[in-house]
Amino acid sequence: MKPLQKPDLQALFFPPRLIAQLKQIRHYPLTVLEAPSGFGKTTALDHLLKTPSFSGCRIFRRTVTEAGQTALWDTFCKMLSRLDALCTDALRQKGIPEPETLDDLTETLQEIECTEETYLILDHVNVAEDIGLFLHVFSRHQNPKLHILLLAQQLSEKTSGQFLMNHQILYLNASDFTFTEADTSLYLNAAGIQLLPGEAQKLYQMTGGWIFAMYLQLLCYTRNGRFEPGILNHLIETAFFARLSPEQKQFYLALSVFQSFTVPQASFVTGEPAERVKSQLNLQGFICREENVYRFHSLFSAYLSAVLSERPKEEQNRLYEKGGDWAREHGSQLEAQTVLLLL
């Protein structure tokens, strides 16, 4: 890398395809942006809303400071009261969405008074329970001027299924915010770094297109004159893995013995039913899929290998043996030998 000038760490770059997707928020009653910390959800959305095409719009934002359904509903009602106090009072009296109140809540929200283009942004949504009923209410207000946006790091498995069934919701996840190799080159150019042949590819492979990881690498570069691969495991730990339940952590560790895997394969080694496996594999931003074959992003794969190496030897052996059992039972002797060689 040849530094022609000091890199601009405040430089912003947003892939055109991402901006094109985000612009669709004005055509949907509800938008959900779900990705781990550091993928640029808030930054990209703020950038979009500051562009001329959104000038004159009313924008209200609140951070959901506590976890759980009640906190989400209370925060939503506080923000909605800025538009229509009477409608909000009626919603408060009915309480959080429940199956028996769903139709009543939906009809009440449909009476909202909103005559100007308005965006209500609920940031840092942190709800372990299913919020499918909330999505139902939020997405059916039928006011073309009102747009509700939820920003979350991770929603429940059951909630994620709503995005496929509800065509009133615009849904973007980590894969939509991930940079391509071409995006990486453009970002570094915007930051004032002239790349030598192959360096954009190196940085892309090192960071997996994760924008905050790229930012940290730029920070290392300004201090040390080089990229520092070692900082990424700590980033994955704090931004993603530490937030998972023990069961979810074990799920991914069990699959880390494979270079790639299918749903039946994952179900076999984890003991989870196929539908739950699909939810886990489709929920996260560190998993790539090609037809029916999944593989971990190189960053996540390297991290999981490091985590597994620190686990007790008995646990490591058990996971490798389970992986070898699958390979033998399904006719892949070479894969079985490859897995068992790691014992």
Side-chain angles (χ1 to χ4, degrees):
M1 176 175 294
K2 297 193 300 182
L4 296 184
Q5 60 191 47
K6 185 177 180 180
D8 176 13
L9 296 183
Q10 302 304 315
L12 296 177
F13 170 77
F14 303 97
R17 57 175 172 75
L18 173 59
I19 296 300
Q21 288 175 295
L22 285 174
K23 283 182 177 179
Q24 297 302 308
I25 64 174
R26 69 185 343 150
H27 303 301
Y28 285 83
L30 174 65
T31 295
V32 177
L33 307 181
E34 181 188 12
S37 177
F39 272 80
K41 303 182 297 293
T42 301
T43 304
L45 179 61
D46 287 349
H47 170 79
L48 175 69
L49 294 176
K50 291 176 182 177
T51 57
S53 61
F54 286 86
S55 63
C57 298
R58 294 189 300 176
I59 299 171
F60 302 101
R61 180 194 297 272
R62 275 187 176 268
T63 298
V64 185
T65 56
E66 298 180 15
Q69 294 179 333
T70 300
L72 173 59
W73 187 248
D74 287 346
T75 305
F76 171 71
C77 289
K78 287 177 183 177
M79 191 160 47
L80 195 69
S81 66
R82 304 280 297 274
L83 304 182
D84 189 332
L86 290 177
C87 178
T88 302
D89 287 343
L91 290 172
R92 286 183 188 277
Q93 291 175 13
K94 300 177 194 304
I96 68 171
E98 300 285 358
E100 59 271 16
T101 63
L102 189 62
D103 291 340
D104 198 12
L105 284 171
T106 302
E107 291 174 4
T108 300
L109 187 56
Q110 288 173 354
E111 297 173 2
I112 186 78
E113 289 288 336
C114 182
T115 58
E116 302 176 47
E117 187 172 354
T118 302
Y119 295 85
L120 303 183
I121 304 171
L122 288 157
D123 204 350
H124 201 64
V125 174
N126 181 17
V127 184
E129 308 98 323
D130 175 33
I131 58 169
L133 298 183
F134 287 72
L135 301 183
H136 179 96
V137 174
F138 292 164
S139 64
R140 287 171 169 78
H141 57 73
Q142 296 184 352
N143 189 314
K145 298 291 186 180
L146 178 61
H147 308 279
I148 302 169
L149 296 94
L150 306 185
L151 279 64
Q153 293 187 21
Q154 182 177 343
L155 298 173
S156 74
E157 301 165 29
K158 192 172 181 180
T159 298
S160 65
Q162 301 290 321
F163 305 128
L164 299 176
M165 298 183 290
N166 191 336
H167 299 297
Q168 300 298 314
I169 302 175
L170 174 65
Y171 174 62
L172 277 68
N173 60 20
S175 63
D176 298 300
F177 290 90
T178 300
F179 280 33
T180 64
E181 186 176 334
D183 295 332
T184 303
S185 294
L186 293 172
Y187 169 62
L188 289 175
N189 287 337
I193 297 176
Q194 184 181 27
L195 299 175
L196 295 172
E199 286 193 324
Q201 182 181 34
K202 177 183 177 181
L203 183 61
Y204 172 70
Q205 292 173 343
M206 187 183 301
T207 62
W210 187 1
I211 182 57
F212 189 59
M214 292 184 192
Y215 170 80
L216 289 180
Q217 293 297 352
L218 274 182
L219 192 61
C220 290
Y221 173 73
T222 60
R223 293 176 177 175
N224 308 318
R226 64 181 184 273
F227 295 138
E228 297 286 353
I231 65 174
L232 298 179
N233 277 358
H234 177 69
L235 180 58
I236 293 174
E237 170 69 26
T238 56
F240 176 68
F241 202 69
R243 301 174 184 273
L244 299 178
S245 67
E247 293 76 18
Q248 289 174 311
K249 292 177 181 178
Q250 193 62 32
F251 176 88
Y252 294 121
L253 285 174
L255 294 176
S256 68
V257 302
F258 298 113
Q259 292 185 345
S260 61
F261 46 87
T262 62
V263 169
Q265 193 171 354
S267 184
F268 178 88
V269 299
T270 64
E272 298 282 2
E275 287 306 311
R276 180 173 169 80
V277 166
K278 290 179 183 178
S279 296
Q280 292 278 59
L281 296 180
N282 290 330
L283 186 64
Q284 312 303 339
F286 294 104
I287 300 173
C288 308
R289 178 183 179 182
E290 295 179 8
E291 295 184 351
N292 294 321
V293 178
Y294 297 80
R295 67 179 67 249
F296 290 127
H297 226 297
S298 57
L299 276 179
F300 194 36
S301 179
Y303 170 79
L304 289 174
S305 295
V307 172
L308 185 58
S309 70
E310 298 295 323
R311 294 295 178 95
K313 191 65 177 178
E314 295 78 8
E315 180 180 350
Q316 296 181 42
N317 290 345
R318 177 174 56 80
L319 294 179
Y320 287 126
E321 288 171 357
K322 193 70 172 177
D325 289 344
W326 164 269
R328 279 195 300 268
E329 290 185 20
H330 292 80
S332 180
Q333 191 63 32
L334 177 60
E335 184 177 16
Q337 292 174 351
T338 300
V339 172
L340 292 174
L341 280 175
L342 297 173
L343 286 170

